[in-house]
Amino acid sequence: MKVKITYYTALLFIISCTHSYADSWLDPSWRVMLDSSDVIALVEYISEGGDRARAKPIKIYQGELEDTCIWISGFANRYGPYDSMRVGDQYLVFINQYKPTESSLANWQKTVEEDPSLTAYFEGIKAGKVYHVWTPTSGDLHVKGKKLQYDLLSTTQSGEAKYFRLKEFESFLQSYFAVDKSSFHANTVKKLQKKAKSAKRVQLIMMLYFTGYDAYHDIYRDLADHHDPVTQFALARLLGQTGGTQARDLLIKLLDSENSIVQGEVVRQLSKEDPNIIGPILLSKLESGGLGGVYPTNIMDPVMNSLDGGKLEIIQTLGEMAYQPAGQYLLPLLEIPDDILMSVVVHALEKIGNTEYHTYLSRHLESRESSLIFDICRLIKDYAIEECKPALMEYISDHNRNEHPPRDYTISPWSGISSFDDEETRTFLLDDFNRHVNTDTIESRYWNSWTKTYLEAFIQLEEERAKSLVYDAIYHWTGIHQEFITHPELFEIKSELQDSITELCKLSLTKEEIVDVQSLVWIDNGHEYTKSFHSSYRTKILIDISPENLDLSKRDEIWHKMSRIRKHLSETINLASENIGIRSGAFVMGVDDRVDDQMSRFDMHNVYRYILKFP
């Protein structure tokens, strides 16, 4: 047992972890923010703050505030937006009370001890005087004079949002929470009839929508004729709430909008209608439906809210309706190499009961459509598509594993072939893992990623037959094999070899500005160990050169110097140059991650899990 502990402990040193963080969120709908906020109030800030600030309530529209001074937080985020409040700033806020747990109070106590400047805020938490807006991008509307910046189409704040009369928004809030809304409805319809400008017109339509106005009005036909897509979008929502034949017919007319976002909203409203009436109409608009929607603007956008455009909404609605005639029209869409479209179509066909999509998925696998592979794997897993297994197995076996990013998800139990638990799959995985472990053609970083996923698969499948291959994988990465359990003397032999090679390299490069030398040895004949053992081994080396005296503007000279050192060392210690890596700052030549202490992150966590399951 002590020998095993020594073996596992030696492997433990290979573990290395890094963490990265990012914030993202979904902004609430207006309906949620109106109905679920603890307090809706007009406030004025009486202190400055980028994370939190004190404010005094001026007017309360909903909820109760007994305090004349409260704390408000949540209006900024450490990764952006970086909002900051100033004394005198006024906002109409939708806030919720912060209700700390015992553990969070304990954490705050420690934080205050480290930073006494937070004492007043902590006292506010304990007294129930701390509130927060919904997200850093929703829940506080800026007041400028007698005007308020808002947009009832979305709670997400935008610098492009217009300012409208605060008093008008206050009337909207009063009506929203009132039982009798008839007077507000009548006045709002009159304002619409006066041909208000586009931005104001949209807010009036949405005020009618949120306050539950459901009467059809002739002005809707005029509004539908507007070429302004924002007006058409808002009108579609109101018409969906209105109901009736006239509203339905006007929605059908709006399907001809050239704006895909308008189309999408129209389809969402028409989805409430009789499938026998709407199904054929949606099918007739499938080809002309637009793909554009509302999505995060880029990968750094923290707001994750989205709205699909016309084509995707039509497909999804036909699926929800289980509209059988749609199958033959949806299948050809799978020929288009679009990952989002493909997923939406397959989900819809599943609901319709048409499974012929497997032919198209297999074709994409066979043609190596790289942008589709992940989504195809996910679909195969979600719907257990047995018919796609041969094509997926062929892809796994034959594709280039040096591609970036690695496609090891194809074997994952969560999104790949090992989600199937049958003998055919197990045999394939064992054979493929055997080929993988015993190849030297895959770059170490990609080899490592694939090996990690194989370990996850075998753990999930409880596949004991992979045990010897797992030990082979450990050997491939660390140079430590199962023989080290039986003959722990091999640890010392391996260490001595690595030390002697490192010293030999340093002696051979005394004239160079060497920062560090690392070496890794694989003893190939450990199974032959005896007291008179002579090791047969392979080695890889990593040389770090000081970048301090390098002229970074002369790249060719740097590469030439690295090549010269590599060649000199190869000839001096009689080691093939492909086994020697050179690095100087950002300049890297032939480095193998297995040799680099900072990069050799072999998945020891799953190795231990597997070994403990099958000791």
Side-chain angles (χ1 to χ4, degrees), residues 527-546:
H527 60 284
E528 300 173 355
Y529 179 81
T530 63
K531 288 187 178 180
S532 57
F533 177 70
H534 294 285
S535 60
S536 170
Y537 64 90
R538 293 169 290 120
T539 188
K540 283 186 176 289
I541 296 168
L542 172 59
I543 309 294
D544 275 299
I545 306 172
S546 173

Side-chain angles (χ1 to χ4, degrees), residues 232-425:
Q232 293 179 332
F233 182 93
L235 179 62
R237 286 198 171 172
L238 183 56
L239 289 169
Q241 178 173 276
T242 302
T245 304
Q246 289 177 301
R248 184 193 66 200
D249 291 346
L250 202 49
L251 280 168
I252 292 171
K253 179 182 177 181
L254 283 173
L255 263 182
D256 291 327
S257 170
E258 294 181 357
N259 186 285
S260 63
I261 299 171
V262 174
Q263 296 168 9
E265 187 58 38
V266 170
V267 175
R268 283 188 287 274
Q269 301 306 323
L270 285 174
S271 66
K272 308 167 189 175
E273 301 288 339
D274 183 352
N276 294 321
I277 297 174
I278 298 303
I281 294 171
L282 294 182
L283 201 53
S284 70
K285 301 294 182 181
L286 179 60
E287 185 175 352
S288 60
L291 277 171
V294 178
Y295 306 105
T297 53
N298 55 62
I299 61 173
M300 299 303 293
D301 189 344
V303 182
M304 295 290 104
N305 297 60
S306 64
L307 282 175
D308 289 328
K311 190 181 290 291
L312 295 184
E313 285 292 347
I314 289 172
I315 295 167
Q316 290 171 125
T317 301
L318 290 170
E320 291 295 333
M321 291 177 170
Y323 188 65
Q324 298 295 322
Q328 61 180 312
Y329 297 95
L330 295 179
L331 282 168
L333 294 177
L334 292 174
E335 295 178 354
I336 301 171
D338 183 297
D339 55 339
I340 296 174
L341 179 63
M342 179 187 67
S343 295
V344 171
V345 169
V346 170
H347 291 321
L349 287 167
E350 264 290 324
K351 291 177 179 178
I352 290 172
N354 187 323
T355 60
E356 294 178 33
Y357 56 75
H358 68 80
T359 303
Y360 295 85
L361 300 184
S362 293
R363 281 184 204 159
H364 284 305
L365 285 169
E366 291 162 1
S367 61
R368 304 296 195 262
E369 291 281 359
S370 59
S371 64
L372 303 181
I373 301 301
F374 177 77
D375 291 274
I376 291 174
C377 288
R378 185 171 49 82
L379 290 168
I380 291 172
K381 191 265 181 186
D382 288 348
Y383 295 117
I385 311 172
E386 294 269 355
E387 295 89 341
C388 288
K389 281 176 62 179
L392 180 55
M393 288 177 175
E394 181 185 353
Y395 178 86
I396 293 168
S397 298
D398 294 348
H399 96 283
N400 180 7
R401 295 194 181 183
N402 287 320
E403 283 184 355
H404 185 79
R407 310 210 185 270
D408 49 295
Y409 54 76
T410 55
I411 59 171
S412 166
W414 324 119
S415 61
I417 193 72
S418 60
S419 61
F420 295 97
D421 187 357
D422 54 63
E423 187 56 31
E424 179 190 27
T425 301

Side-chain angles (χ1 to χ4, degrees), residues 25 27 74-77 80-81 83 133-138 140 157:
W25 54 83
D27 282 339
F75 47 76
N77 178 60
D83 291 343
V133 296
W134 283 83
T135 70
T137 50
S138 67
D140 55 343
Q157 298 162 18

Side-chain angles (χ1 to χ4, degrees), residues 88 177 190-191 195 200 222 282 286 365 436 476 590 598:
F177 295 108
K190 283 181 182 178
K191 291 176 184 177
K195 302 186 185 243
K200 177 69 173 294
D222 293 334
L282 294 182
L286 179 60
L365 285 169
H436 170 78
H476 177 93
Q598 296 180 355

